[in-house]
């Protein structure tokens, strides 16, 4: 069979053609605001049978009926409760499917043998026009091969259905991106069977109490029967195994940074993409924009099948709003393999030498915080036989002394007069330091990354607050002289070699000025700042 592609925006007649195919029992791919559907005449058992064949879908998995408006409920459903009309008034057309008792006219083929039927009024002008032209309820599951991610473009649907169906109507990219929310109105309290494009909170506004079916949050075991039969099947799964990581966005990013190896697949919030330049990345959307995440989740899952990745890590949004649906799709794709990275705040501390970072860190520890000394980590990684040491030697030749320590002068000669070489060296260092530092904060509810290159290394992205410790230059010079027992000229040179205060003022979220006369006084000041920041961040994350 040749699958035709219709472009209704170019040719209005294709609407009538699609309707005609449906009326004579054929299969048509239809655009909706959620995902593309694989439509047929929902009252024609023979036509419906072909949907199951084309998708490779188990026969016991019912289809939903797409109708023109709430007036059609009476035609196909018995005992329609007032709640159904209240929901329709508020949310139809839109991403909401209601489970109601079926009338005889709806064949058991459509309902997978159930006495109930799912009813939905989609919000897409093209499909609404097709329903009106066909004057039929269109039975339509998502237009993917059973088990694969749902299609959100006509092209995705063609990947799965080319040669199996009569036509696909191209209505552009789906604006919602995850399937409709399914609410069962045949039980009390009404029960959420599948989270989707309409948030649970919106349903609760109209219905009051809503029960959430177990299948939404956990894997069904073999003997269990979820109320939406489709929820028991493996779903949305790319070929490579998926690990979903929950927790605050920064925490889940840190968790993934600590595990993802070069060439692994990563689905991350947009802000964290720079941390994964060594991976195959698909962005989910900004951490705070769940609507964008819903639009991208299936494309991201689908895109990995064109790559060679052997494992995929995915950051998971929190459950509020559309996050419940996005997280559910990711978790189903992962077979509910979920890791929780926690929510505690992560701080970053930076600033030039001699400004008083050590006192500030002591204050943080006094408050029960865990400090990661990134300079110590760096020195631990810097040996001739470590991966970082090997990478440095491959790039710059032998720069280690026979005793295994770095020949600073030799390496310095290679990089300090050559900006590109220095950039290359830093890239090697940061690539090894990041996963190590990220691993260190995992499991500590209150952590602080202490790093002189906090912002340049990318570590700052993992911190909810980045605090710079600054002090007047003369004070720093005097402190270094006393601390390190060096002369004034050399101390001055070291201070001059570091980033100017302006750099920190521009890039950090908070500045801690050390103008105190005694270290004790400054430590107190630092404690006050940290106490305030911890409180703000704990309420916020
Ligand atoms: O957004 C959507 O709902 C898309 C677009 C095309 O409208 N359609 C869709 O259909 O996602 P499908 O078949 O992929 O998913 C429908 C889900 C399945 O999990 C099915 O088991 C459940 O709805 N379902 C359908 N009728 C049901 C019924 N009578 N009782 C319980 N669950 C039902
Ligand atoms: Mg589906």
């Amino acid at each position: 069979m040749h699958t035709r592609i219709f472009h209704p925006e170019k040719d209005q007649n294709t609407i009538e053609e699609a309707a005609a195919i449906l009326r004579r029992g054929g299969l048509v791919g239809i655009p909706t605001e959620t995902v593309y559907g694989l439509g047929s005449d929902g009252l024609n058992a023979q036509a419906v049978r072909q949907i199951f064949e084309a998708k490779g879908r188990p026969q016991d998995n019912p289809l939903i009926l797409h109708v023109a408006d709430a007036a059609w409920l009476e035609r196909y459903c018995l005992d329609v409760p007032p709640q159904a009309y209240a929901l329709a008034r508020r949310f139809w057309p839109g991403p909401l499917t209601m489970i109601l008792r079926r009338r005889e006219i709806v064949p058991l083929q459509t309902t997978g043998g159930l006495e109930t039927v799912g009813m939905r009024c989609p919000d897409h002008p093209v499909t609404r026009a097709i329903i009106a032209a066909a004057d039929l309820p269109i039975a339509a599951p998502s237009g993917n091969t059973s088990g694969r991610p749902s299609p959100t473009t006509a092209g995705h649907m063609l990947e799965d259905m080319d040669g199996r169906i009569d036509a696909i109507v191209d209505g552009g990219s789906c604006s919602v991106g995850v399937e409709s929310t399914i609410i069962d109105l045949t039980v009390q309290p009404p029960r959420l069977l599948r989270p989707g494009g309409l948030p649970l909170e919106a349903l609760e506004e109209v219905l009051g109490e809503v029960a959430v079916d177990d299948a939404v949050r956990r894997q069904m075991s073999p003997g269990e029967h979820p109320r939406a039969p489709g929820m028991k099947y493996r779903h949305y799964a790319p070929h490579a195994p998926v690990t979903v990581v929950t927790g605050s966005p920064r925490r889940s990013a840190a968790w993934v940074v600590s595990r993802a190896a070069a060439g692994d697949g990563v689905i991350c919030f947009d802000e964290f993409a720079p941390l994964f330049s060594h991976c195959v990345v698909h962005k989910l959307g900004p951490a705070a924009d769940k609507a964008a995440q819903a639009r991208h989740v299936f494309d991201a899952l689908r895109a990995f099948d064109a790559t060679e990745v052997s494992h995929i890590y995915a950051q998971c949004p929190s459950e509020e709003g559309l996050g419940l649906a996005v997280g559910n799709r990711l978790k189903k794709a992962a077979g509910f393999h979920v890791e929780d990275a926690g929510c505690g705040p992560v701080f970053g501390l930076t600033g030039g030498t001699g400004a008083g970072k050590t006192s500030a860190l002591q204050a943080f520890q006094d408050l029960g915080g865990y400090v990661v000394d990134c300079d110590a980590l760096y020195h631990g990684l810097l040996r001739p036989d470590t991966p970082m040491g090997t990478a440095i030697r491959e790039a710059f030749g032998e720069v280690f002394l026979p005793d295994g320590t770095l020949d600073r002068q030799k390496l310095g000669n290679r990089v300090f007069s050559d900006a590109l070489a220095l950039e290359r060296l830093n890239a090697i260092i940061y690539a090894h330091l990041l996963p190590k530092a990220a691993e260190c904060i995992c499991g500590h509810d209150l952590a602080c990354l202490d790093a002189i290159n906090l912002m340049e290394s990318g570590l700052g992205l993992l911190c909810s607050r980045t605090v710079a410790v600054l002090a007047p230059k003369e004070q720093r010079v005097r402190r270094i002289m006393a601390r390190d027992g060096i002369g004034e000229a050399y101390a001055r040179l070291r201070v001059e070699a570091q980033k100017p205060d302006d750099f920190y003022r521009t890039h950090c979220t908070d500045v801690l000025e050390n103008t105190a006369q005694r270290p004790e006084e400054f430590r107190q000041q630092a404690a006050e700042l940290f106490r305030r920041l911890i409180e703000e961040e704990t309420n916020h994350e």
Side-chain angles (χ1 to χ4, degrees), residues 34 57 61 64 66 116 120 141-142 179-180 182 194 227 230:
T34 58
R57 180 174 173 116
N61 194 358
I64 58 189
H66 296 68
T116 55
R120 156 154 151 77
S142 51
E179 301 93 333
S180 60
I182 302 181
R194 176 177 75 181
R227 296 184 69 99

Side-chain angles (χ1 to χ4, degrees), residues 430-469:
Y430 299 154
H432 289 84
L433 187 60
L434 264 171
K436 204 74 192 158
E439 188 187 333
C440 289
I441 58 175
C442 289
H444 293 279
D445 282 345
L446 179 60
C448 181
L449 293 166
D450 162 25
I452 189 149
N453 291 325
L454 186 72
M455 309 315 288
E456 304 91 313
S457 63
L459 283 168
L461 285 174
L462 301 178
C463 305
S464 38
R465 288 293 179 88
T466 47
V467 181
V469 180

Side-chain angles (χ1 to χ4, degrees), residues 55 57 141-142 144 150 179 194 235-236:
K55 268 183 75 90
R57 180 174 173 116
S142 51
N144 49 288
S150 301
E179 301 93 333
R194 176 177 75 181
H235 229 133
Y236 313 125

Side-chain angles (χ1 to χ4, degrees), residues 89-110:
R89 255 196 311 279
R90 186 81 186 266
F91 302 122
W92 274 9
L96 174 66
T97 297
M98 302 183 225
I99 306 295
L100 297 163
R101 289 186 57 205
R102 86 174 166 110
R103 278 189 194 275
E104 285 286 317
I105 185 176
V106 181
L108 286 168
Q109 233 76 36
T110 301

Side-chain angles (χ1 to χ4, degrees), residues 384-455:
D385 52 345
T386 58
M388 187 171 95
T390 309
I392 292 177
R393 283 154 80 202
E394 273 168 13
F396 301 102
E398 185 53 83
V399 288
F400 289 95
L401 294 164
D403 67 355
T405 58
L406 185 74
D407 186 338
R408 280 170 200 284
Q409 201 164 9
K410 201 161 167 195
L411 185 60
N413 286 340
R414 297 292 315 276
V415 299
F416 284 131
S417 54
D418 178 349
L420 273 178
L422 182 59
E423 209 173 288
R424 209 154 109 229
L425 176 65
N426 280 335
I428 294 172
I429 293 170
Y430 299 154
H432 289 84
L433 187 60
L434 264 171
K436 204 74 192 158
E439 188 187 333
C440 289
I441 58 175
C442 289
H444 293 279
D445 282 345
L446 179 60
C448 181
L449 293 166
D450 162 25
I452 189 149
N453 291 325
L454 186 72
M455 309 315 288

Side-chain angles (χ1 to χ4, degrees), residues 190-222:
R191 181 175 283 259
L192 179 80
L193 303 188
R194 176 177 75 181
L198 185 73
L200 171 61
E201 294 89 336
L203 287 177
E204 285 169 338
E205 275 176 31
V206 175
L207 298 173
E209 189 192 356
V210 174
V212 176
D213 203 66
D214 269 355
V216 170
R217 294 199 174 98
R218 65 175 179 83
Q219 178 89 295
M220 291 288 97
S221 40

